[in-house]
DNA sequence: TTGAAAGCGCTAACAA
DNA sequence: TTGTTAGCGCTTTCAA
């Protein structure tokens, strides 16, 4: 692989001139430019990012942190991030933390080391203290999960409102016994969705019954299956369920299908509108988050923040998608 | 952020010595070492990857190419790759080509630019000519999709055999009218799975009927739905379907559920064993590919290849997972 | 056991 | 308009 000196030599100019051509500096005569350009072609030269990055003290890499690849919710967000940053000449370093703190450290060091220019975190399990520390000296954006009253800019949806509307929908269908399948309430979104759930129940003077609130240990389908089984073991069974994630809701649907062949159907609402949610039987009523757009927005915010601009928090619109799982 | 000079100054040694401590060189006296180490601690120093990478002419980044994030098949493979390379001090640069050639170029240039040390491609739509060119001078491994008789090492499963076994399973269940939902046969795996499909039919003297072979334009659920609808419009309907991807099979299941309430069930077999496949109703019989293991293997092969070792192609075992969709 | 110095490939300030 | 040169932060050779 040729380097800039060889190009300079071949074109009979200095390395500075080659660099100018490479960076489209306006102060190069057309004649010189074309000499350099042919040398570049002839030697099939590609400027080294390593050299450029060191010199410019940037890597043009964006670190994207997510807890797991296996929840399709993240896939669409990543699409949005990737499309946006690529258009600006950046790339993404996708990092699954798997909720393992030692991984977090690796990634934070990459940023401190200038191996990544900024961070978008979608990981609810992240060490917020360390992230805030990082954010003091490096651009960081939170996507989806955020910190209330924190100093790191975020893009998200109004989880409380969405949950409220989802549960209200169940109530208006005539359900009075509504269960909640929640994840761990150490996560903000979990607390918010629970709050929305409770607000709807209170508004219609329905009691909040702890035995109908189940906390899962994760978001995999299997956790949803397990949660629903637990709920179905109650003496008095709920007639409807709100699950804080489509993956949990789909697991719940599965459990209902398996255990309740002859019983009255149980209405189910999920959250996220992952593509699989229209493939289940029945199809899943769910809260649609604008995942792709959320990714684009997070990326834009980060790029702006990297330019030194102040960025504002953004709350995107959601939508309740009504499908068969709440249509009897 | 401190640099190596500041550490050297603080510790009262030369930068060479600091570098030696950083790299655990054995020729540093314990006393000097501890002086340097405390300087590092005091200044909270992290060596810059950018400088190190330039000097060593490596980036410790592995480029992973995939066509799309939205097929969960890839998620598990990526998990395997990531776990393996992280253990060796590498990270992955995950790149969705979206089957867009201009993106491919960006990524190939990153490798040529030394911004990535090697490539694992899982993208069937990749420009194989260019990839081969790249592979002449850089480490490249193909994962899942590969080139027969090509020179790039690969890890995959025996698609033909797996398809044969899947279809044989359908035949042994008594099905004589078996449809194939295939993707575009420009992909090797599609041709191989079709070959396995045909081998099974021939072995049992069943005719191969073109009207029961449908080629989709993609692997999304919706393509499976559409394909199944087309098949159900045939005068003579198949009694069983083999789909070359779980996503297509799940779409097919959906179409069957929607259109056939009162009809005889149609048996369905998929391919990949994605986690959704046990959440459908009925659960999906499918060919399980060892996705995580495939990812680990691809990563190991690449790391070996980067060390200059010769690597052999590897064909991993698959397994037919029989579930409700072929149990009447 | 340690240090001085060259150099990885590039950009940019300054000079001409 | 172009060239010279310093330097980004690190590793490594050579010499002491």
């Amino acid at each position: 692989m040729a380097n800039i000196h060889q190009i300079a030599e071949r074109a009979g100019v200095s390395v500075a001139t080659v660099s100018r051509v490479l960076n489209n500096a306006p102060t190069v005569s057309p004649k010189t430019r074309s000499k350099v350009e042919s040398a570049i072609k002839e030697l099939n030269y590609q400027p080294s990012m390593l050299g450029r990055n060191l010199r410019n003290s940037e890597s043009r890499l964006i670190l994207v942190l997510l807890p797991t690849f296996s929840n399709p919710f993240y896939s669409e967000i990543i699409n949005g991030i990737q499309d946006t940053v690529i258009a600006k000449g950046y790339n993404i370093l996708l990092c699954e933390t798997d909720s393992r703190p030692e991984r977090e450290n690796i990634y934070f060091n990459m940023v401190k080391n200038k191996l990544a220019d900024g961070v978008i975190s979608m990981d609810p399990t992240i060490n917020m203290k360390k992230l805030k520390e990082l954010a003091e000296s490096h651009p960081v954006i939170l996507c989806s999960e955020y910190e209330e009253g924190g100093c790191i800019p975020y893009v998200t949806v109004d989880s409380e409102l969405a949950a409220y509307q989802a549960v209200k929908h169940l109530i208006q269908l005539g359900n009075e016994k509504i269960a909640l399948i929640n994840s761990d309430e150490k996560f903000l979104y979990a607390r918010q969705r629970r709050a929305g759930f409770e607000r709807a129940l209170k508004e219609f003077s329905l009691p909040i019954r702890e035995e109908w609130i189940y906390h899962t240990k994760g978001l995999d389908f299997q956790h949803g299956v397990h949660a629903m089984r637990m709920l179905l073991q109650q003496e008095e069974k709920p007639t409807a369920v709100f699950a804080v994630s489509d993956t949990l809701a789909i697991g719940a649907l599965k459990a209902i299908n398996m255990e309740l062949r002859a019983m009255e159907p149980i209405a189910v609402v999920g959250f996220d509108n992952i593509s699989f949610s229209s493939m289940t039987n029945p199809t899943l009523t769910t809260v649609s988050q604008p995942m792709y757009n959320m990714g684009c927005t997070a990326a834009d915010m980060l790029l702006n923040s990297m330019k030194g601009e102040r960025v504002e928090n953004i709350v995107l619109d959601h939508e309740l998608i009504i499908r068969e799982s709440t249509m009897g």
Side-chain angles (χ1 to χ4, degrees), chain A residues 81-201:
Chain A
I81 296 175
Q82 164 143 330
D83 288 351
T84 305
V85 304
I86 280 195
K88 305 277 186 187
Y90 285 79
N91 265 287
I92 58 175
L93 208 52
L94 205 56
C95 299
E96 186 188 30
T97 62
D98 235 345
S99 308
R100 281 187 258 178
E102 72 280 12
R103 289 235 169 137
E104 246 172 54
N105 283 330
I106 297 179
Y107 300 132
F108 286 178
N109 284 343
M110 293 180 76
V111 183
K112 291 185 189 157
N113 281 334
K114 301 271 176 196
L115 235 194
D117 298 340
V119 182
I120 296 176
S121 171
M122 313 198 262
D123 186 1
T125 67
I126 203 150
N127 182 330
M128 195 51 86
K129 191 164 160 295
K130 281 196 184 169
L131 189 65
K132 274 154 75 173
E133 208 179 293
L134 189 73
E136 285 170 20
S137 46
H138 300 269
V140 179
I141 300 291
L142 295 172
C143 181
S144 180
E145 179 78 355
Y146 65 104
E147 198 196 30
E148 264 178 323
C151 47
I152 306 180
Y154 57 80
V155 52
T156 191
V157 295
D158 188 338
S159 268
E160 195 275 344
L161 179 62
Y164 164 78
Q165 291 165 341
V167 175
K168 188 168 169 179
H169 168 66
L170 289 172
I171 297 171
Q172 287 172 336
L173 253 30
N175 292 294
E176 299 198 330
K177 302 176 187 174
I178 302 176
L180 172 67
I181 300 181
N182 204 353
S183 68
D184 195 316
E185 290 193 22
K186 71 183 170 202
F187 305 130
L188 178 59
Y189 76 88
R191 296 195 296 276
Q192 292 177 327
R193 292 174 196 180
R194 180 188 179 129
F197 168 82
E198 294 192 354
R199 174 152 70 98
L201 293 187

Side-chain angles (χ1 to χ4, degrees), chain A residues 44-294:
Chain A
N44 190 25
Y45 167 71
Q46 302 273 357
S48 155
M49 293 293 167
L50 256 28
R52 179 175 288 175
N53 290 350
L54 175 60
R55 176 63 220 221
N56 293 347
S57 193
E58 65 169 15
S59 61
R60 302 218 136 227
L61 253 28
I62 304 294
L63 193 65
V64 177
L65 297 177
L66 70 172
T68 171
F69 291 123
S70 63
N71 191 336
F73 171 64
Y74 296 108
S75 314
E76 271 299 304
I77 299 182
I78 294 166
N79 278 330
I81 296 175
Q82 164 143 330
D83 288 351
T84 305
V85 304
I86 280 195
K88 305 277 186 187
Y90 285 79
N91 265 287
I92 58 175
L93 208 52
L94 205 56
C95 299
E96 186 188 30
T97 62
D98 235 345
S99 308
R100 281 187 258 178
E102 72 280 12
R103 289 235 169 137
E104 246 172 54
N105 283 330
I106 297 179
Y107 300 132
F108 286 178
N109 284 343
M110 293 180 76
V111 183
K112 291 185 189 157
N113 281 334
K114 301 271 176 196
L115 235 194
D117 298 340
V119 182
I120 296 176
S121 171
M122 313 198 262
D123 186 1
T125 67
I126 203 150
N127 182 330
M128 195 51 86
K129 191 164 160 295
K130 281 196 184 169
L131 189 65
K132 274 154 75 173
E133 208 179 293
L134 189 73
E136 285 170 20
S137 46
H138 300 269
V140 179
I141 300 291
L142 295 172
C143 181
S144 180
E145 179 78 355
Y146 65 104
E147 198 196 30
E148 264 178 323
C151 47
I152 306 180
Y154 57 80
V155 52
T156 191
V157 295
D158 188 338
S159 268
E160 195 275 344
L161 179 62
Y164 164 78
Q165 291 165 341
V167 175
K168 188 168 169 179
H169 168 66
L170 289 172
I171 297 171
Q172 287 172 336
L173 253 30
N175 292 294
E176 299 198 330
K177 302 176 187 174
I178 302 176
L180 172 67
I181 300 181
N182 204 353
S183 68
D184 195 316
E185 290 193 22
K186 71 183 170 202
F187 305 130
L188 178 59
Y189 76 88
R191 296 195 296 276
Q192 292 177 327
R193 292 174 196 180
R194 180 188 179 129
F197 168 82
E198 294 192 354
R199 174 152 70 98
L201 293 187
K202 280 185 194 138
E203 183 172 318
F204 290 86
S205 308
L206 297 172
I208 291 157
R209 296 182 43 175
E210 283 299 329
E211 66 269 31
W212 288 342
I213 298 180
Y214 190 90
H215 293 96
T216 64
K217 299 206 187 318
L219 294 179
D220 291 345
F221 298 122
Q222 292 308 336
H223 291 110
V225 172
H226 180 74
M228 194 67 222
R229 285 206 179 123
M230 292 295 132
L231 291 171
L232 291 176
Q233 280 173 19
Q234 301 292 323
E235 240 173 288
E236 197 172 357
K237 293 181 184 34
T239 63
V241 183
F242 170 53
V244 297
S245 160
D246 277 356
T247 47
L248 294 177
I250 287 165
L253 233 34
K254 185 72 202 158
I256 293 169
N257 276 332
M258 283 189 292
E259 314 230 335
L260 275 202
R261 307 241 167 235
M263 258 186 74
E264 268 189 38
I266 293 183
V268 177
V269 179
F271 208 111
D272 293 343
N273 195 27
I274 63 176
S275 64
F276 189 51
S277 66
S278 59
M279 287 295 129
T280 52
N281 184 17
T283 53
L284 184 66
T285 293
T286 187
V287 175
S288 169
Q289 295 199 53
M291 298 175 279
Y292 181 84
N293 187 14
M294 198 184 285

